[in-house]
Amino acid sequence: AVVSTQSTGAAEVSLLLLYALCEAIRLYLGNKGNLTEQPFPTVVFLLLTLPMTMAYVFTMLLQTYVLHLDAIMSYIGIGFCGLEFILGIVVLLQFSRSDIST
């Protein structure tokens, strides 16, 4: 089936808005979990990292029109998501150790 460009464009814009909302929530929870040293917001932050990584892959590979700049920004975003995920696990382990020792 052939999908019109207009409906594809509308779907991509909707996904972009959903992506921006999810990213804002993810960063807020990561910040809140770090400042309050609570594990729950940090766990949700880590769980939301997977959909964000998939959004970067979509932007890089599956979007209708992908510029070289889009691909470069997606690679950088995936790198940051990976780094944030690793550091989030380290912080989560640190929070659990501090809860045990107190």
Side-chain angles (χ1 to χ4, degrees):
V2 177
V3 178
S4 71
T5 306
Q6 187 175 8
S7 65
T8 304
E12 288 179 359
V13 169
S14 299
L15 284 173
L16 181 63
L17 293 174
L18 183 64
Y19 154 74
L21 179 67
C22 186
E23 180 71 2
I25 292 169
R26 184 181 80 89
L27 292 175
Y28 171 76
L29 289 173
N31 188 27
K32 182 179 178 184
N34 185 32
L35 292 176
T36 61
E37 295 185 5
Q38 293 177 347
F40 180 72
T42 307
V43 169
V44 176
F45 167 79
L46 291 173
L47 291 176
L48 286 175
T49 301
L50 179 64
M52 295 316 322
T53 304
M54 292 185 332
Y56 283 121
V57 170
F58 171 80
T59 303
M60 185 173 47
L61 300 176
L62 303 174
Q63 193 172 324
T64 303
Y65 300 107
V66 180
L67 302 175
H68 290 291
L69 183 61
D70 290 330
I72 292 169
M73 296 299 288
S74 293
Y75 284 126
I76 292 170
I78 290 170
F80 274 119
C81 278
L83 182 64
E84 290 169 351
F85 188 79
I86 292 169
L87 292 175
I89 290 175
V90 169
V91 165
L92 194 61
L93 291 173
Q94 195 70 17
F95 292 164
S96 66
R97 285 186 187 153
S98 68
D99 286 342
I100 293 171
S101 64
T102 56

